[in-house]
């Protein structure tokens, strides 16, 4: 994970990923509890949902932090390098 030090200081995006994936895994576990599914399958399905949603959201958060980071552009301007954004 190559994020600049200023962007990676805030734990809020990563806490939100953990919270959202935990809630969805818990809801999956509860819904499967209404059916006649074995407890190990319920736990496996909840863990699979947690990993799938958490991995997807984590990838999204990291890509957004990289894309919207303005600190690298400021550092390049200070050192006299120009930055041109593709159209």
């Amino acid at each position: 994970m190559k994020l600049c030090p200023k962007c990676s200081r805030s734990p809020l995006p990563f806490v939100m990923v953990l919270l959202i994936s935990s809630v969805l895994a818990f809801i999956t576990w509860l819904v499967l509890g209404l059916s006649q599914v074995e407890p190990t399958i319920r736990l496996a399905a909840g863990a699979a949902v947690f990993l799938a949603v958490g991995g997807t959201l984590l990838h999204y958060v990291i890509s957004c932090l990289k894309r919207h980071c303005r600190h690298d552009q400021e550092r390049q301007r200070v050192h006299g390098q120009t930055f041109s954004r593709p159209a």
Side-chain angles (χ1 to χ4, degrees), residues 8-52:
S8 61
R9 282 190 189 145
S10 175
L12 184 63
F14 303 105
V15 170
M16 291 302 296
V17 167
L18 182 67
L19 180 71
I20 291 169
S21 56
S22 297
V23 167
L24 289 176
F26 181 66
I27 290 172
T28 302
W29 182 75
L30 283 177
V31 168
L32 289 176
L34 297 174
S35 63
Q36 298 297 324
V37 178
E38 296 181 23
T40 55
I41 296 175
R42 279 176 62 190
L43 287 175
V49 167
F50 177 80
L51 291 175

Side-chain angles (χ1 to χ4, degrees), residues 21 45-59:
S21 56
V49 167
F50 177 80
L51 291 175
V53 171
T56 303
L57 286 176
L58 187 64
H59 174 70

Side-chain angles (χ1 to χ4, degrees), residues 52-85:
V53 171
T56 303
L57 286 176
L58 187 64
H59 174 70
Y60 176 72
V61 164
I62 290 173
S63 66
C64 284
L65 285 174
K66 285 181 184 178
R67 184 176 357 149
H68 296 291
C69 176
R70 300 288 182 203
H71 303 114
D72 189 38
Q73 293 175 9
E74 291 173 9
R75 186 173 38 119
Q76 286 177 355
R77 273 189 241 138
V78 168
H79 294 296
Q81 299 170 348
T82 59
F83 180 79
S84 62
R85 180 174 271 184

